Every structure is written in C-alpha cells, then in structure tokens.
Amino acid sequence: MRIYSIEDINSMSWEEYGAALQVLLEKIQASGILFDAIVPIMRSGAIPGSALAIQLRITKIIPLQFKYRLQPNRLESIMPMPPPLPETPGPCNILICENNTSSGDTACGAIELLKRHFPASKLYYATVTKVFGGPNSFADTEAYFFGRLTNERFIATRDEMITHGLRPGVTLFPWEVAQDELHEMNQSSTTL
C-alpha cells in the first residue's frame, strides 16, 4: 500500500471548495428530485450537508458518524441512529452527503444502516469530491452525485487527468490539518 507524504498534499482553498460544492448543488437540482431528509456523514460531511440542506430547503437532518477501528479491522457506527423521521408519511427521498469519497466503505455502511431503518425509502448519494478509480454507484441507491473528481489514488494516466479534469494529489480541505490527515490515511492504508 502507498504511504502518503506532505509532498502528496494539494491544499484546496475555500473558493475552490465553494465552486465544487456549487457544481454538486447544481447536479442535484438538475435531477428535479425533492428530498425529505439529508444524512450528513460526520465529521466533514456536516459542512456540505448543512449547505445543501439550506439550499435544497431540507429541514430534516439525520447525522451519522462512522470510524475505522483496528484489530480487528472494521467500520463502526459511533453515533446512535436518531428516531424515525417525524411527519414524513410513507416512503421518503433521503440524500446521503459526504465530503470526500474514495473506497466507498463509509458510504456503504451508511446505506446499509439507512436501509434497515427506512426500508421503503429511496436513497441518493452526494459527495463534494470523488476519487478517480472509486465506485461510480452504490447498491440500494437511486443516483450518485459528485462535484469534483480527484486523483487521490495517483492511478490516472496523464490523458485521464486531462480528459476528466482531475484535481491532482491528495485534497486537503480548507479546515483540515495536513499531518492529521496523513496520519489517518497512512494508518488506514497499511492496516486495512
């Protein structure tokens, strides 16, 4: 597995982040879907989740949080599932929101949990950045929206970088600390 270093980091400004979030919002709006609830995957999913909730006029927010645990390796929910959605008759449209999607493991964990609690609902997935080479869809979701593609795995060819307009390197979001992110990435990549 790759060990990431500070040279792999590509910091994203707030302006660039806002532009990627705007692209994501426009793709979601173009779908014409009206959402009954939004599910931000915490921690960083709270940032785009709140912005999308405001712009899409979604008032029901269901926060979820997961953490990779080691020995044994597993994805664990660390926030209890909130009670059922009040005043939502029958099946509803739920928008799952994350900030950056690479392997999709966390997304799959959220989808599985939501399907158990809201089996008749339709699930949709949105992420501000999607890592090139990661999943393009998820089982049990109706659609997958993203704002910007990145080459965080360093697997795209030069032609793919140009064709897809990939953002190079490991994206460091404006609020993140490089050493903390590198530690987390390297711990995950060497133990999973």
Side-chain angles (χ1 to χ4, degrees):
M1 297 302 266
R2 181 182 177 107
I3 300 298
Y4 297 93
S5 70
I6 199 73
E7 290 79 28
D8 296 322
I9 296 290
N10 182 0
S11 296
M12 180 182 269
S13 69
W14 279 108
E15 291 77 18
E16 186 182 0
Y17 184 80
L21 184 58
Q22 183 63 34
V23 169
L24 174 61
L25 174 63
E26 289 170 4
K27 287 179 178 179
I28 294 169
Q29 288 173 325
S31 74
I33 300 163
L34 299 177
F35 295 98
D36 300 291
I38 190 165
V39 178
I41 299 175
M42 310 304 259
R43 296 182 314 166
S44 67
I47 294 167
S50 296
L52 291 173
I54 291 165
Q55 293 297 314
L56 298 171
R57 295 176 174 83
I58 302 170
T59 57
K60 295 176 181 85
I61 299 173
I62 306 168
L64 295 181
Q65 188 170 6
F66 297 88
K67 178 72 178 156
Y68 280 104
R69 301 289 186 191
L70 306 174
Q71 300 172 354
N73 296 335
R74 67 197 182 281
L75 181 67
E76 183 178 290
S77 175
I78 60 172
M79 182 181 284
M81 185 69 168
L85 299 175
E87 303 167 16
T88 304
C92 56
N93 292 325
I94 299 174
L95 180 63
I96 303 163
C97 182
E98 198 166 14
N99 194 56
N100 185 37
T101 304
S102 181
S103 67
D105 292 344
T106 304
C108 290
I111 291 163
E112 181 183 323
L113 186 61
L114 289 164
K115 267 315 216 188
R116 278 199 314 263
H117 283 82
F118 308 105
S121 295
K122 291 184 179 179
L123 303 179
Y124 300 82
Y125 183 78
T127 186
V128 177
T129 58
K130 175 190 175 311
V131 177
F132 181 78
N136 293 317
S137 63
F138 295 110
D140 294 322
T141 61
E142 305 295 316
Y144 185 137
F145 307 99
F146 66 88
R148 182 85 197 264
L149 278 171
T150 71
N151 190 29
E152 192 164 296
R153 291 184 181 174
F154 298 91
I155 61 171
T157 65
R158 183 179 198 149
D159 287 344
E160 289 170 328
M161 290 287 295
I162 294 166
T163 301
H164 300 292
L166 301 182
R167 185 175 201 283
V170 174
T171 299
L172 183 72
F173 294 97
W175 59 88
E176 292 179 328
V177 176
Q179 291 304 327
D180 293 346
E181 296 306 313
L182 287 170
H183 174 74
E184 185 79 20
M185 289 175 66
N186 289 330
Q187 186 176 13
S188 296
S189 70
T190 58
T191 56
L192 292 178

